[in-house]
Amino acid sequence: MTYLRKRRGIWYFRRRIPADCQSAFRSKEILLSLKTRERRRALELAPQYVARYDAVFDQIRHGQMFDIKELLKNHPLEFETKVVERADGTRETVRRIDTDVIAALRDAGVPPERIAELVEKWNKGESVSDGENTTSSTTAITLENLVDRYNQHRVTEHREEPNWTIPGGDHIKFRRLLELLGGDKLIDSVSRDDAVYVRDHLIQLPSNTTSTKGKNIYKVIELTKAKATAEAKSAGLITVHYDRICTGQVNNHLTLYSSMFQWAVDNELLKRNPFIRMRITNRKKIKNNSRRDKFSRDELKTIFQHAIFTDYATEKKRNPRLKPYRFWTPILGLLTGARPCELSALYVEDLKKINKVWVFDFNEHTPDKCSKSENAIRYTPVHPELIRLGFIEYVQSLETDRIFSELKYEDDENRYARYVNERFVASILKPANIYVKDKKVFYSFRHTLTTELQRVGVSQLHREWLTGREAEDKSVGDDFYVKPDELPTMYKLLAKVDFSEELAAVKPFPIGK
């Protein structure tokens, strides 16, 4: 639901007041002008009102006087300032409160004399809190309320996908978070210790929760341990053991929580994200990935002489179902060393210019991102070959949020990356007789770049920074996230890797054709 209504070309925020809160208002609905004729802008503003009134309704339900400041602050509820010239030649700056704010206060049941008092105080730069016992908007937000707001934000973000809904698995993940920390816990009181507490309980969950379906997380763990203890005792064993959920599933929970709290930070509801970099390193997976082989120079030439790369436009006419990711992801894999799941989940906003350097921002800002380790959160410069092939222009031409929006989310394990490897193997590696099961696959691009970086003299630390590999000798507390001042140096190091001969047959991507 967008809560939007259009009148005479202007978008309005319209929301019905819940029945249990209507006694605190003078009407049954809220109707406020968003002062914009652009639907996109209205869709951006509506969640601010949703969040604002969610907090008001929550406080009314708890018998509290809601914070008047919450209704007055932040765009688009604002003052108008203008300079008035008097008859004697002097000037005075006059601040006028927005009429929509006055309407909101009036609808909330605030007496006219109180509104006048608030306006006068604000014009003098004084506090407008309604009494000493009111709480700020941040401290008034509970964890349960934050989950609701974040899910509303996600629905709005996917507004162009009419069939999109919050994944069922996410509801379970959020339920577990609320059970562990309490839905009424204030979000600014959630600490790093709380995040650790959540992680330490998640890793105790059994791999199969069918027999404990409907039970809260504490009961699930308790019943599972009791059953495992009884079985161990019956078998005469000292060690109690049961199958637990895998590291990937734990990390899926933690990534979702981190994304939600980061959204709160980005929207100035919090100052810090307690779940940032809380993921557990999957040592087994990293070890398995290290078994992949790199591509030889001759193999690279063969790969990039495929018609998809040498004449994409003609191939597209021959096969109308051909999608841009088939052209870009192998080239990106070679020139960034990024994992398939990282590339397939890139958003347009993840390509940015920092300190005059175009970079990929591999982050975990959204729960669909794939950060395999702490090092995976990184900036990687855009290789000059990518610029030559028109990648920057291609991304700038997109009207979608994600760069490869044609790739659909499969599940928590594959995410968007399933077809990246499958199509590459089936259409390019196998016909060229390059494919070797588990050894010569898409992931081999990553090992190819790492090997080449080492060959041209790039240090181990910089290789780890560029490709997001887990540092074998990393000390606790080390910060491996590349800082903006270091990006020009990182770009020069990456540019030392020269695949121009192997990519010579590749023609720039035909944008708009």
Side-chain angles (χ1 to χ4, degrees):
M1 184 178 294
T2 61
Y3 298 101
L4 293 178
R5 180 177 181 178
K6 199 172 186 179
R7 283 186 175 181
R8 296 184 296 276
I10 302 297
W11 286 100
Y12 284 74
F13 171 81
R14 181 185 183 186
R15 183 175 183 181
R16 183 172 180 80
I17 299 170
D20 60 340
C21 297
Q22 288 180 6
S23 61
F25 293 80
R26 294 186 178 181
S27 63
K28 293 185 178 181
E29 70 172 28
I30 298 161
L31 183 65
L32 299 174
S33 171
L34 296 178
K35 301 179 185 176
T36 182
R37 294 178 181 273
E38 298 180 7
R39 186 172 187 273
R40 183 182 182 87
R41 178 60 178 157
L43 287 167
E44 292 175 351
L45 294 175
Q48 298 179 30
Y49 282 93
V50 173
R52 186 167 301 156
Y53 279 100
D54 277 345
V56 170
F57 298 150
D58 185 62
Q59 288 179 284
I60 291 173
R61 290 179 178 122
H62 286 81
Q64 302 172 2
M65 175 61 187
F66 52 84
D67 191 355
I68 301 301
K69 186 189 296 184
E70 179 66 9
L71 290 173
L72 292 176
K73 74 173 189 176
N74 297 333
H75 184 83
L77 303 181
E78 58 190 7
F79 284 97
E80 175 182 300
T81 302
K82 62 180 180 179
V83 178
V84 178
E85 185 169 349
R86 298 180 178 279
D88 59 2
T90 61
R91 294 186 176 187
E92 179 184 5
T93 300
V94 177
R95 302 173 71 205
R96 185 181 68 83
I97 195 169
D98 190 290
T99 55
D100 285 337
V101 178
I102 295 176
L105 292 171
R106 185 175 60 248
D107 290 344
V110 180
E113 60 273 14
R114 179 57 179 151
I115 296 176
E117 180 185 346
L118 292 172
V119 173
E120 182 180 0
K121 283 189 174 184
W122 203 313
N123 279 331
K124 293 179 180 179
E126 298 178 11
S127 170
V128 296
S129 296
D130 190 35
E132 297 180 358
N133 295 325
T134 56
T135 56
S136 70
S137 60
T138 298
T139 55
I141 300 175
T142 64
L143 189 56
E144 184 174 14
N145 185 234
L146 179 63
V147 171
D148 291 339
R149 293 191 192 191
Y150 180 60
N151 280 336
Q152 175 64 41
H153 160 74
R154 295 168 71 193
V155 171
T156 302
E157 286 288 293
H158 290 83
R159 57 187 176 275
E160 296 180 358
E161 303 173 41
N163 296 324
W164 190 90
T165 58
I166 303 295
D170 286 2
H171 289 300
I172 296 174
K173 295 180 181 71
F174 281 133
R175 188 195 72 207
R176 288 168 175 166
L177 176 67
L178 297 177
E179 289 172 351
L180 288 169
L181 297 184
D184 58 351
K185 185 177 181 67
L186 301 180
I187 62 173
D188 68 341
S189 69
V190 179
S191 64
R192 187 68 170 180
D193 286 342
D194 288 325
V196 173
Y197 178 82
V198 170
R199 183 194 64 191
D200 290 350
H201 279 76
L202 289 175
I203 63 178
Q204 297 180 58
L205 281 170
S207 58
N208 187 348
T209 58
T210 303
S211 61
T212 55
K213 188 175 181 180
K215 304 285 193 301
N216 69 41
I217 188 170
Y218 291 110
K219 197 66 176 178
V220 170
I221 295 172
E222 178 187 344
L223 292 175
T224 302
K225 286 185 174 179
K227 181 180 179 181
T229 300
E231 291 176 349
K233 184 177 181 180
S234 175
L237 301 175
I238 298 176
T239 304
V240 176
H241 171 78
Y242 62 91
D243 292 332
R244 306 188 183 201
I245 65 173
C246 68
T247 299
Q249 290 176 306
V250 174
N251 284 341
N252 287 339
H253 284 70
L254 298 174
T255 297
L256 180 62
Y257 304 156
S258 180
S259 298
M260 178 179 69
F261 277 95
Q262 188 59 48
W263 175 81
V265 171
D266 293 342
N267 286 274
E268 299 183 357
L269 301 176
L270 279 176
K271 292 183 179 179
R272 52 177 177 67
N273 176 0
F275 279 89
I276 193 167
R277 298 189 180 182
M278 184 57 66
R279 292 168 55 91
I280 303 169
T281 300
N282 192 337
R283 297 290 180 183
K284 180 179 180 181
K285 197 158 196 174
I286 290 174
K287 184 176 181 181
N288 288 338
N289 287 340
S290 67
R291 297 174 184 170
R292 273 67 179 267
D293 291 340
K294 68 181 183 66
F295 292 123
S296 69
R297 291 276 180 166
D298 287 339
E299 288 171 337
L300 290 176
K301 284 183 181 179
T302 300
I303 289 170
F304 292 109
Q305 284 174 353
H306 190 281
I308 286 178
F309 306 108
T310 61
D311 195 351
Y312 181 87
T314 300
E315 281 294 288
K316 177 69 173 177
K317 291 178 181 178
R318 188 183 66 81
N319 176 16
R321 299 178 64 182
L322 184 65
K323 301 298 182 182
Y325 82 89
R326 299 277 300 280
F327 176 91
W328 284 118
T329 53
I331 301 173
L332 289 168
L334 176 64
L335 298 176
T336 67
R339 303 167 178 89
C341 62
E342 293 173 330
L343 295 173
S344 58
L346 280 170
Y347 281 68
V348 170
E349 65 182 20
D350 294 332
L351 179 70
K352 57 187 67 174
K353 182 174 279 190
I354 301 177
N355 207 3
K356 300 182 180 180
V357 177
W358 281 104
V359 299
F360 294 98
D361 181 3
F362 292 107
N363 56 62
E364 54 178 13
H365 292 170
T366 56
D368 55 353
K369 293 294 182 65
C370 163
S371 299
K372 295 293 185 180
S373 67
E374 187 171 319
N375 270 20
I377 303 172
R378 66 195 186 280
Y379 289 138
T380 297
V382 176
H383 193 282
E385 276 293 308
L386 275 172
I387 296 175
R388 177 185 74 81
L389 295 172
F391 183 71
I392 304 296
E393 290 81 1
Y394 169 71
V395 174
Q396 292 175 337
S397 72
L398 297 174
E399 297 180 356
T400 54
D401 292 333
R402 287 179 41 242
I403 293 178
F404 302 115
S405 59
E406 62 267 31
L407 293 169
K408 303 305 179 183
Y409 196 97
E410 296 287 332
D411 50 52
D412 288 346
E413 180 66 24
N414 293 293
R415 299 179 185 260
Y416 302 106
R418 175 184 169 189
Y419 290 110
V420 173
N421 184 62
E422 285 188 8
R423 294 289 186 266
F424 176 66
V425 168
S427 63
I428 296 179
L429 292 190
K430 285 186 175 180
N433 293 319
I434 296 175
Y435 173 72
V436 178
K437 184 178 180 180
D438 296 331
K439 287 187 174 294
K440 290 288 182 73
V441 290
F442 188 97
Y443 210 99
S444 297
F445 284 125
R446 181 169 172 79
H447 294 271
T448 303
L449 179 64
T450 302
T451 301
E452 189 62 19
L453 286 169
Q454 184 176 11
R455 190 189 70 79
V456 298
V458 177
S459 69
Q460 179 183 346
L461 176 62
H462 288 108
R463 295 198 302 272
E464 291 161 357
W465 275 358
L466 286 166
T467 61
R469 285 181 173 273
E470 183 69 12
E472 295 180 0
D473 57 350
K474 180 179 181 291
S475 300
V476 175
D478 283 354
D479 185 2
F480 276 79
Y481 199 73
V482 179
K483 298 175 176 60
D485 290 345
E486 297 161 330
L487 289 173
T489 299
M490 299 299 294
Y491 171 78
K492 291 177 182 178
L493 291 174
L494 182 60
K496 291 172 68 175
V497 174
D498 183 6
F499 288 119
S500 58
E501 185 176 345
E502 287 70 29
L503 297 172
V506 181
K507 298 298 187 293
F509 188 83
I511 300 172
K513 296 181 181 179

